[in-house]
Amino acid sequence: MDRSRVAHNRILFIDADDSFTNNIISLLETRLDASVFVWKIGLKLDHRELTAALSHFDAVVAGPGPGSPTNHADTGLMNELWKLDDEELLPALGICLGFQNLAISFGGRIECLKEPKHGRVCRITHHGESIFERVGQLHTTCYHSLHVELGYSGPGRHGGPDAEELWRCTQACPDLQPLAWDLSDKINGPVLMALRHQEKPFWGLQYHPESICTNEKSFTVIDNWWAEVMRWNWRKHHSEIPASLHSHERMGPRLQRRLESVEDSHFRRRAFTHPPRAQMNGHDIGPEYNRKVLTKVISIENMTPFEICTSLGFDKSELIILDSAVTREETGRYVIVGLIEQDQTTRFEYSPGSPAIRRYKADRLDIPLAEFQGDVYLYLADYMGKRRASGGSIDSPFWGGLVGYISYETCLSSGLLSLSPSRESSHDRSSQPGMTFAFVERSLVYDNETGHLYVQSVRRDDDGWVQAIKDKIEYLHEVHSNTPCNGHAVRNGLRSGGVIRSGSESITVNGSHPACDFKLSTPNAKAYQNRVRQCQKFIRAGDSYELCLTSQSEVKVSTSRYKDYTWPLYMTLRRRNPAPFGVYFRVGKATLLSCSPERFLSWDRKGHCQMRPIKGTVKKGPGVNRPVAEEILRQPKEQAENLMIVDLIRHDMHGVLGSGAVRVQSLMKVEEYETVFQLVSVIEGPCDNGSKAGYEADGRVEHQNGVCAPADTDTGTDTDNLRRGIGLLAASLPPGSMTGAPKKRSCELLREIEEHQPRGIYSGVVGYMCVGGGGDFSVVIRSAFKWENERHQSEMNGDSGTNGVEDRHDDDDDDGFDVWRIGAGGAVTALSTPEGEWEEMQTKLNSTLDPFTAFLRDWQC
């Protein structure tokens, strides 16, 4: 909730570790002008403490979550709500899991649906009674695999002409009156969607009123519930609720502090809104503040940033390129080249669970994270806050700053999830950094749209370097323009060992022709499909709505036969699989090559942030054109995959940006890529201190052809935007499109299903935090990565065993091999088939693996 607001109405929300909680909070706060306070289900309070604390609220909402209402560990504190004595009662609304918990507390039974309803939109039938008065036609989103059975035994329980029976109380549950049903489900039959207690102020909704695909009629249901709450409270107190009811006089200072601590831990904004203690002790005073960006702009034609990097020798050492090989609406416009200089560029490495972050420059230094609450992201925010810069071109998105990756395992153990690091897998990667960032001071930024190249530096007194590089590039451009065939001869000369000279620079390329020598291990079909079945077992049990299962392939490349091949390998990958978020990253121990189509999170200098999840995939092939793909992607399974992640991301963003500050700009739009068609959604919000300017009360929009106009949010300072952007990054990891929902429980399940095999950089994020205040991160998919210190691994066995990996090429000599890992997977839902998921995983895997291995077979230095 937005702590800058003071609302008269106070609602307690009991959170069962769900990934839609903050969307419900946003709906309640914006619709009811209420302040919502959050307790976790695991909060331990004795009866006296509970009743004392509840007396400070007008109502309570028992929220959704994974698991079963019959399992106390899944419902915890909400069980106590329904047991309160009459004089202690508080009006309560149960949603999804909370609804089911309410029902079983008064005689209801829980049964499994024949077909789970996760991310499914259904039409609700009601009689306009109680909280459904004046509601009209209601279409709602469901996220449940269990349902409530009240004990109907007549023909009405199957729907049809005798369905009137469904609206009466049963002998088994005389206190529970049904209010709404889904009567349109031919597989499951009638499914109870809402009820109320006959005597006590308890109501319940099985569906999710906050989902982006639940229509606006659900607002009236919430309004009606609140009117019932106010009427009940008035009858209880015979007047307006006195102000003393909301004081903390009866709670006691110790309990008050305890509950405030619980509340603060739920939201991520506080720590990133205010500077940490380390900024207040004088550390922020010094020459790092107020850097000036030095910039020279060149207009180049028929010459790429990659040719410039090759000609100037940048490709021969550590280098970072955030690439855009294809433009997709507002993505894919810029190519960012970050130059890494030995003993000059500051590099950070961090491993999950470590108490310190390691800094490399001319020396090595371990920086304790204790004064940053043990939070590596707070340290990064502090570090960047001390290095803000000004004076750069407004047309260049990146002036300089931290550029790097965060591995999937680091995403799990840091941020809000805080899952403990997994035990070591069969491949010991404990020495590999889970996070690597380089502070880039010198950079090139190429604008694909205008042809402008920005030569930039944030290093002090670096005008000479900027001018020298500009002169060299202009010389190269002149040579390139005057060379026949638009410079193909120049490029061919470089490939065959020729030399190109520019000023004092010269580069010679080896011209040897090694024989093909590599090994390939890929997932086993049977093992992968068995894992899909495991996922579906958990989904049907109510433990998850969607599980994003992954696997890894390995390519071992002989370092004695293949020399300096990483750069041309990336050129092949980007040519065969062009994408708006490509990455060439060679820094420290890590090398990452990625052709990702998916933006994870971006925020600009004006305070506007965006997340862009991709879920739903159709492989291109004979007869599969765009109309065919669009028809397939309109199927319930594909739509549900995307919807679940959209609602999850809205939750992540609401937790940082505040209630009412999130908007779905585009919902489930089909985009075409080199090998696939995919469903893409765009979710946006302001990073400027939770401002709601331009946004509807609940973040919902009226969709016209699937597209909505974004809001204009041009407020806040660059440092504030950067700090909140990093806060949103930390709160949203790992990417929901790589986990499923609810996120925490899904990640725990996936670790078990994938048998604690680390995903590594795959499934993590890579991108930048700019000294000018912006940031942009993509999801690491369609990628290959390797570690420089991992070369002499033991022979892989041909039997898939527990890892589900089988050899497709063998060689007895395993000495001196680079070990590349290529991840791929897909979202498993109740509607998935093991065969279909295997095919989808193979499609994604082969988009990277096929050009990778083809390059190795054809490679000539």
Side-chain angles (χ1 to χ4, degrees):
M1 62 167 277
D2 186 350
R3 293 293 176 222
S4 65
R5 299 173 59 243
V6 178
H8 176 68
N9 303 317
R10 293 165 61 92
I11 298 173
L12 172 65
F13 190 97
I14 298 179
D15 175 33
D17 284 325
D18 195 61
S19 289
F20 305 141
T21 290
N22 294 332
N23 299 335
I24 302 175
I25 292 172
S26 175
L27 175 61
L28 296 172
E29 289 195 330
T30 56
R31 192 72 188 181
L32 305 178
D33 189 28
S35 293
V36 178
F37 298 78
V38 180
W39 294 357
K40 297 289 186 180
I41 54 170
L43 181 64
K44 303 297 184 183
L45 297 175
D46 60 32
H47 185 77
R48 183 186 61 80
E49 290 175 326
L50 177 63
T51 54
L54 289 179
S55 68
H56 295 261
F57 298 99
D58 300 306
V60 60
V61 174
S68 169
T70 62
N71 184 355
H72 190 275
D74 292 332
T75 53
L77 190 63
M78 66 176 66
N79 292 284
E80 307 305 315
L81 294 177
W82 326 118
K83 301 176 183 177
L84 294 172
D85 295 334
D86 288 347
E87 63 274 13
E88 300 166 339
L89 286 178
L90 192 66
L93 175 67
I95 298 177
C96 202
L97 181 66
F99 160 85
Q100 295 171 359
N101 187 247
L102 164 62
I104 66 170
S105 298
F106 294 96
R109 299 195 320 272
I110 295 298
E111 296 182 356
C112 291
L113 291 169
K114 296 177 183 177
E115 182 179 272
K117 300 163 74 72
H118 293 141
R120 304 290 295 274
V121 179
C122 59
R123 180 168 53 86
I124 299 299
T125 300
H126 61 85
H127 284 175
E129 296 181 1
S130 184
I131 59 176
F132 288 87
E133 184 178 357
R134 303 185 310 279
V135 168
Q137 191 174 69
L138 183 59
H139 293 272
T140 66
T141 302
C142 299
Y143 289 107
H144 63 109
S145 55
L146 309 176
H147 74 110
V148 170
E149 174 60 57
L150 297 181
Y152 294 100
S153 57
R157 68 189 298 271
H158 302 292
D162 299 309
E164 280 303 314
E165 176 190 2
L166 298 178
W167 303 98
R168 296 191 288 268
C169 298
T170 65
Q171 185 175 357
C173 305
D175 296 321
L176 300 180
Q177 180 185 353
L179 295 178
W181 293 85
D182 175 8
L183 300 178
S184 63
D185 193 328
K186 296 180 180 179
I187 296 176
N188 292 304
V191 178
L192 184 63
M193 283 291 157
L195 56 75
R196 73 177 180 92
H197 194 281
Q198 295 273 58
E199 303 295 335
K200 298 183 178 183
F202 300 153
W203 295 262
L205 303 175
Q206 176 64 81
Y207 66 87
H208 282 244
E210 82 291 350
S211 171
I212 194 64
C213 283
T214 296
N215 69 4
E216 62 182 12
K217 300 297 183 181
S218 66
F219 301 163
T220 306
V221 176
I222 297 301
D223 293 343
N224 289 342
W225 170 70
W226 191 248
E228 295 274 18
V229 168
M230 292 293 98
R231 281 193 289 270
W232 192 90
N233 282 333
W234 186 88
R235 288 194 299 268
K236 180 177 180 180
H237 302 289
H238 304 293
S239 64
E240 290 288 335
I241 301 174
S244 62
L245 182 66
H246 295 317
S247 72
H248 289 88
E249 295 174 359
R250 293 178 54 196
M251 190 179 293
R254 181 176 299 178
L255 178 59
Q256 178 183 341
R257 287 194 299 270
R258 181 181 171 195
L259 296 179
E260 286 176 347
S261 175
V262 170
E263 163 70 9
D264 287 341
S265 69
H266 177 76
F267 295 98
R268 190 66 177 172
R269 283 162 298 146
R270 183 166 185 164
F272 286 90
T273 301
H274 305 287
R277 187 176 63 226
Q279 272 205 1
M280 299 300 189
N281 61 13
H283 293 181
D284 57 357
I285 300 174
E288 295 295 351
Y289 266 87
N290 299 318
R291 296 183 177 211
K292 297 297 182 184
V293 184
L294 306 173
T295 307
K296 295 290 184 179
V297 184
I298 310 169
S299 181
I300 61 175
E301 298 176 1
N302 301 319
M303 191 174 185
T304 71
F306 300 95
E307 292 166 328
I308 292 172
C309 287
T310 302
S311 300
L312 297 182
F314 297 153
D315 61 315
K316 299 303 177 185
S317 60
E318 295 188 348
L319 181 67
I320 302 173
I321 300 181
L322 303 181
D323 186 14
S324 295
V326 63
T327 300
R328 292 281 185 261
E329 296 185 357
E330 76 270 17
T331 66
R333 179 172 173 178
Y334 298 96
V335 178
I336 297 171
V337 179
L339 304 181
I340 308 299
E341 302 164 281
Q342 187 175 4
D343 296 334
Q344 292 292 320
T345 299
T346 300
R347 183 177 88 249
F348 294 99
E349 291 183 356
Y350 173 79
S351 296
S354 173
I357 186 171
R358 180 162 291 177
R359 188 201 70 189
Y360 295 88
K361 197 172 184 181
D363 57 359
R364 190 181 82 181
L365 176 66
D366 286 349
I367 303 171
L369 296 174
E371 63 179 325
F372 299 93
Q373 304 170 34
D375 191 326
V376 66
Y377 299 102
L378 278 176
Y379 173 78
L380 296 178
D382 180 64
Y383 182 86
M384 287 299 298
K386 296 173 183 176
R387 286 156 182 81
R388 62 176 178 258
S390 60
S393 171
I394 61 173
D395 295 320
S396 173
F398 176 79
W399 298 340
L402 289 175
V403 187
Y405 70 82
I406 305 170
S407 74
Y408 177 76
E409 281 68 40
T410 302
C411 294
L412 291 180
S413 64
S414 56
L416 286 186
L417 285 188
S418 297
L419 298 181
S420 59
S422 175
R423 67 174 183 263
E424 294 298 324
S425 70
S426 58
H427 291 283
D428 182 9
R429 302 183 210 168
S430 58
S431 62
Q432 315 305 353
M435 174 189 292
T436 297
F437 278 96
F439 187 74
V440 172
E441 295 180 296
R442 292 172 168 175
S443 62
L444 308 176
V445 174
Y446 179 70
D447 187 336
N448 284 316
E449 186 175 299
T450 66
H452 291 162
L453 179 73
Y454 300 86
V455 181
Q456 305 171 133
S457 177
V458 294
R459 187 177 295 177
R460 295 185 182 279
D461 303 320
D462 210 22
D463 306 73
W465 178 87
V466 172
Q467 185 63 49
I469 291 297
K470 175 180 179 290
D471 292 343
K472 292 176 182 179
I473 294 174
E474 287 180 331
Y475 172 80
L476 286 171
H477 185 246
E478 181 181 355
V479 172
H480 186 278
S481 300
N482 294 329
T483 300
C485 301
N486 292 323
H488 286 300
V490 174
R491 292 194 292 278
N492 291 336
L494 285 170
R495 286 297 303 271
S496 62
V499 178
I500 248 208
R501 298 186 181 276
S502 173
S504 62
E505 300 287 344
S506 65
I507 302 95
T508 301
V509 180
N510 193 327
S512 62
H513 302 271
C516 173
D517 194 351
F518 66 91
K519 296 182 176 189
L520 176 60
S521 298
T522 60
N524 174 276
K526 182 178 179 181
Y528 189 83
Q529 291 176 31
N530 283 339
R531 288 180 174 181
V532 173
R533 295 183 183 97
Q534 283 182 272
C535 291
Q536 291 184 307
K537 180 179 177 181
F538 286 117
I539 289 170
R540 292 190 182 97
D543 290 312
S544 178
Y545 314 139
E546 173 181 45
L547 288 166
C548 296
L549 180 66
T550 72
S551 64
Q552 284 201 358
S553 298
E554 288 187 355
V555 183
K556 289 189 173 184
V557 180
S558 172
T559 56
S560 63
R561 300 292 182 86
Y562 292 87
K563 304 291 186 182
D564 301 323
Y565 67 94
T566 304
W567 177 261
L569 171 59
Y570 178 67
M571 296 298 106
T572 297
L573 293 176
R574 77 183 297 269
R575 184 177 66 253
R576 291 279 299 273
N577 197 19
F581 298 102
V583 174
Y584 178 89
F585 184 92
R586 188 178 163 205
V587 177
K589 300 174 183 177
T591 299
L592 168 66
L593 312 179
S594 177
C595 296
S596 174
E598 182 174 357
R599 166 176 282 159
F600 174 58
L601 166 66
S602 69
W603 66 92
D604 62 24
R605 300 177 190 120
K606 294 182 179 181
H608 178 263
C609 63
Q610 180 189 90
M611 300 183 80
R612 215 170 182 275
I614 291 178
K615 266 288 167 271
T617 303
V618 174
K619 179 183 178 180
K620 285 185 173 180
V624 183
N625 54 20
R626 189 180 184 94
V628 171
E630 288 178 342
E631 180 64 28
I632 295 172
L633 291 171
R634 280 196 290 268
Q635 298 303 309
K637 175 188 179 296
E638 309 298 334
Q639 299 271 305
E641 279 186 26
N642 197 280
L643 172 58
M644 283 187 264
I645 302 307
V646 170
D647 279 341
L648 182 154
I649 285 175
R650 292 173 59 235
H651 158 88
D652 287 342
M653 294 180 72
H654 273 131
V656 177
L657 306 183
S659 293
V662 179
R663 180 185 187 122
V664 176
Q665 190 264 355
S666 177
L667 184 63
M668 291 186 264
K669 183 177 180 180
V670 176
E671 288 189 353
E672 181 177 357
Y673 292 90
E674 193 72 14
T675 59
V676 295
F677 295 94
Q678 296 195 293
L679 275 183
V680 182
S681 293
V682 180
I683 305 97
E684 300 180 333
C687 282
D688 57 342
N689 204 21
S691 169
K692 301 175 184 63
Y695 289 80
E696 309 236 353
D698 73 325
R700 198 174 310 244
V701 292
E702 292 297 328
H703 298 285
Q704 296 180 358
N705 299 322
V707 180
C708 316
D712 180 17
T713 55
D714 186 9
T715 60
T717 67
D718 54 358
T719 304
D720 288 342
N721 292 338
L722 181 61
R723 182 173 296 280
R724 293 189 185 94
I726 297 173
L728 179 56
L729 175 70
S732 303
L733 293 171
S737 60
M738 303 307 297
T739 64
K743 187 182 284 186
K744 183 176 183 180
R745 181 70 64 88
S746 295
C747 289
E748 292 170 340
L749 294 174
L750 286 166
R751 284 210 303 201
E752 295 298 322
I753 295 168
E754 296 177 3
E755 299 178 342
H756 294 262
Q757 182 77 3
R759 296 183 181 183
I761 304 177
Y762 169 70
S763 293
V765 297
V766 60
Y768 68 81
M769 307 170 191
C770 179
V771 294
D776 202 349
F777 285 81
S778 64
V779 181
V780 182
I781 53 177
R782 316 294 195 273
S783 62
F785 71 91
K786 72 180 179 77
W787 306 109
E788 292 301 320
N789 59 343
E790 181 187 21
R791 283 188 173 173
H792 301 286
Q793 296 294 324
S794 61
E795 194 73 31
M796 295 176 294
N797 58 52
D799 187 352
S800 64
T802 59
N803 294 324
V805 175
E806 61 182 8
D807 285 343
R808 279 169 37 182
H809 187 284
D810 198 11
D811 192 307
D812 291 333
D813 179 14
D814 191 38
D815 190 37
F817 276 73
D818 283 337
V819 183
W820 290 88
R821 290 183 170 83
I822 302 175
V828 179
T829 71
L831 299 178
S832 296
T833 65
E835 297 77 14
E837 291 302 322
W838 167 256
E839 181 179 346
E840 179 177 336
M841 186 278 291
Q842 286 285 96
T843 296
K844 295 173 180 176
L845 171 62
N846 289 333
S847 68
T848 300
L849 188 60
D850 286 352
F852 192 111
T853 55
F855 166 83
L856 293 177
R857 293 188 182 99
D858 298 339
W859 165 242
Q860 294 179 352
C861 288

